[in-house]
Amino acid sequence: MADVLADKTAPPVQSAGAKGARTRDRILDVAYGRIVEKGYSATSIEELVEAAGITKSGFFYHFRDKNDLARQLIDRYLGEVETALDALEARARELHDDPLHAFLIFMKLYAEAMEEMMALHKGCLVAAITYQDRTFAPDVRQANADGVNAWRRRFRRWIEEIAAVHPPKRAVDLEAVADQLNVVADGSIIMARAVDDPAIIARQALLQRELIRMLFGG
Amino acid sequence: MADVLADKTAPPVQSAGAKGARTRDRILDVAYGRIVEKGYSATSIEELVEAAGITKSGFFYHFRDKNDLARQLIDRYLGEVETALDALEARARELHDDPLHAFLIFMKLYAEAMEEMMALHKGCLVAAITYQDRTFAPDVRQANADGVNAWRRRFRRWIEEIAAVHPPKRAVDLEAVADQLNVVADGSIIMARAVDDPAIIARQALLQRELIRMLFGG
DNA sequence: TGTACATCAGTGAACGCGCGTTCACTGATGTAC
DNA sequence: TGTACATCAGTGAACGCGCGTTCACTGATGTAC
């Protein structure tokens, strides 16, 4: 109870000095949007600080150099996605004990979350970085790869758990099945953007859900 | 017979002046690779002409400006892909009258062609352009969208042809099924690059083939 | 409560480099008569 | 076959602008005694 009150009166949860962290986050927010829209090289520090309401030298107080911006951006992004996935998975597993049905519920939540996310920032940072990766220092590319592999492991464990209970109707590569979740997510974002039709993302997620149900379902 | 001899002795088929077209193609070749690797903005005219063995002003003899390079690049790319798909479809349909079986053969050929292509230029230009689209003039983005829609129509017609003969086992969105071919192609390229494992592409194509077979097959 | 000092969160001016683009010119090849 | 001219496929030098980065400085907030 005391904690709750403390949380209410205290400034918004921020690790270091609140003001600095807030501007830093503002820069990261703008950077995310621009990089996904136009690419990393086409996004200048000047336009970021203008949008964030500080000067160019203020930027270099928060970031060692431009590559450091990319580094912090991907760290924050991967962290956010991981906690979001954790929450969705926990909710889905709460609603159903059977791993297959929990997974089908998860996919529904996941599709909704994707749509919501696309309404805000229209793209996936990992995909954007991947398609410009030779511009980045090795640390950024490594963080990117690590993030994708973490997603893959999550889905792979779950799919194998499902297959143990519901043997698949066809002999398929279970790792590929797990990977297809990320594959379809990134691929459908690209198509949605290319032809400017956001509805494609949800339709692809729904189809994929149906195929999973067909593969493992009774 | 005379034609065959003529073809043999004549210079390589080129529409306009052979020499100019050859350097132009060289520039486009290098540009494709760099843009897919690093992005459009990070690819300078200077590095392209250096690789092509001419000077910077030579570039502006062949291209009005940098956007014109993107324009010609995507036109050439879409043309190449279209003729390649035409050839693969024709071969697949030759080998089997039934649209489903022809399609399954096509998917095998398609997967092989993708792998081959990835060995050369490691990415899809459409995806690269899509993830930097705010950098390009409207004509380039339009050409990009038109290209993707042409691919979608091709697959959609074929899938509907299949569904007419082999009713799908589940009520699915046939347009989404058709779209998933492009979606998985682009998505698997991203994952393959992100974690540096080219084998992912073929595995995804194979899985998709299996799912199509399961959906429509007996 | 007041003072001294340290850290935080920036500012403002300047830098050199590389970028896309222009422009006047040129040598090689093609075409007309 | 030779000459006159046109087009092709570039060259070389210069341009101005914007980019990422540095550096000396500063006013506000936090901390120790």
Side-chain angles (χ1 to χ4, degrees):
Chain A
M1 187 61 185
D3 279 3
V4 173
L5 279 177
D7 278 355
K8 254 186 186 165
T9 49
V13 222
Q14 221 101 240
S15 51
K19 194 191 172 207
R22 233 160 40 226
T23 41
R24 208 194 59 138
D25 276 350
R26 238 161 50 231
I27 295 172
L28 289 174
D29 287 343
V30 184
Y32 186 104
R34 304 293 169 99
I35 288 174
V36 162
E37 257 193 359
K38 309 188 301 178
Y40 174 73
S41 303
T43 301
S44 71
I45 294 173
E46 189 116 7
E47 68 176 293
L48 298 181
V49 299
E50 197 198 320
I54 57 168
T55 64
K56 220 172 6 171
S57 4
F59 174 90
F60 288 95
Y61 173 75
H62 291 287
F63 307 95
R64 194 193 315 280
D65 50 28
K66 205 188 175 188
N67 188 74
D68 188 36
L69 167 72
R71 174 78 227 232
Q72 292 196 37
L73 202 49
I74 189 124
D75 281 352
R76 195 184 70 157
Y77 177 71
L78 291 176
E80 282 174 4
V81 171
E82 187 121 334
T83 58
L85 289 180
D86 280 347
L88 293 186
E89 176 165 353
R91 259 198 80 200
R93 292 215 190 241
E94 248 176 49
L95 292 172
H96 215 297
D97 275 347
D98 181 86
L100 174 58
H101 288 90
F103 193 74
L104 294 173
I105 293 169
F106 171 81
M107 282 194 74
K108 196 94 193 10
L109 300 174
Y110 181 60
E112 281 166 21
M114 279 267 295
E115 259 191 305
E116 213 177 299
M117 192 196 93
M118 285 301 293
L120 296 175
H121 16 11
K122 31 183 266 165
C124 167
L125 185 69
V126 163
I129 285 183
T130 299
Y131 255 107
Q132 282 140 260
D133 55 5
R134 293 277 153 206
T135 329
F136 299 103
D139 61 336
V140 172
R141 282 153 67 187
Q142 191 55 54
N144 200 42
D146 291 348
V148 173
N149 278 322
W151 298 344
R152 296 176 76 192
R153 275 195 303 276
R154 173 194 298 268
F155 291 130
R156 186 175 184 185
R157 273 198 292 265
W158 205 341
I159 289 290
E160 273 167 0
E161 195 185 332
I162 293 170
V165 186
H166 308 273
K169 308 298 170 207
R170 302 248 174 175
V172 292
D173 181 346
L174 288 181
E175 194 181 4
V177 173
D179 283 349
Q180 225 182 61
L181 269 110
N182 290 313
V183 163
V184 167
D186 274 333
S188 60
I189 290 174
I190 288 179
M191 180 176 282
R193 278 186 57 165
V195 305
D196 195 23
D197 177 6
I200 285 176
I201 293 170
R203 293 172 70 189
Q204 286 298 315
L206 234 77
L207 169 62
Q208 199 180 13
R209 191 163 168 273
E210 204 54 39
L211 294 178
I212 295 268
R213 193 209 296 275
M214 184 171 62
L215 181 60
F216 295 105
Chain B
M1 185 64 187
D3 279 4
V4 174
L5 279 176
D7 276 356
K8 255 185 186 165
T9 51
V13 220
Q14 220 101 240
S15 51
K19 192 188 173 210
R22 234 159 39 226
T23 42
R24 209 195 58 141
D25 277 349
R26 239 160 49 231
I27 296 173
L28 290 174
D29 287 342
V30 184
Y32 186 105
R34 304 292 170 99
I35 289 174
V36 162
E37 257 193 359
K38 308 189 299 177
Y40 174 73
S41 304
T43 300
S44 71
I45 294 173
E46 189 116 8
E47 67 176 294
L48 298 181
V49 300
E50 196 198 321
I54 56 169
T55 64
K56 215 162 26 159
S57 3
F59 174 91
F60 288 94
Y61 174 74
H62 291 286
F63 307 95
R64 194 192 314 279
D65 51 28
K66 205 188 176 188
N67 188 74
D68 188 35
L69 167 71
R71 174 78 228 231
Q72 291 196 36
L73 202 48
I74 189 124
D75 281 352
R76 196 185 69 157
Y77 177 70
L78 291 177
E80 282 175 4
V81 172
E82 187 122 332
T83 58
L85 289 180
D86 280 346
L88 293 186
E89 177 165 351
R91 257 197 81 198
R93 292 217 190 238
E94 247 175 51
L95 292 173
H96 216 297
D97 275 347
D98 181 86
L100 174 58
H101 288 89
F103 193 74
L104 294 174
I105 293 169
F106 170 82
M107 284 194 72
K108 195 95 193 8
L109 300 174
Y110 182 60
E112 282 167 20
M114 280 267 295
E115 259 190 305
E116 214 178 299
M117 192 197 93
M118 286 300 293
L120 296 176
H121 16 10
K122 34 184 264 166
C124 167
L125 185 68
V126 162
I129 285 183
T130 299
Y131 255 106
Q132 283 140 263
D133 56 5
R134 294 277 153 207
T135 330
F136 300 103
D139 60 337
V140 171
R141 282 153 68 188
Q142 192 55 54
N144 201 42
D146 291 348
V148 173
N149 278 322
W151 298 344
R152 296 176 76 194
R153 275 195 303 276
R154 172 194 299 268
F155 290 130
R156 187 175 182 186
R157 272 199 293 265
W158 204 340
I159 290 290
E160 273 167 1
E161 196 184 331
I162 292 171
V165 187
H166 308 273
K169 308 298 170 209
R170 303 245 173 179
V172 292
D173 181 346
L174 288 181
E175 194 181 3
V177 173
D179 283 349
Q180 226 183 59
L181 270 111
N182 290 313
V183 163
V184 167
D186 274 331
S188 61
I189 289 175
I190 288 179
M191 180 176 283
R193 278 186 56 164
V195 305
D196 195 23
D197 177 6
I200 286 176
I201 293 170
R203 292 173 69 188
Q204 285 298 315
L206 233 76
L207 168 63
Q208 199 180 13
R209 191 164 168 271
E210 203 55 40
L211 294 177
I212 295 268
R213 194 210 295 275
M214 184 170 59
L215 181 61
F216 295 107

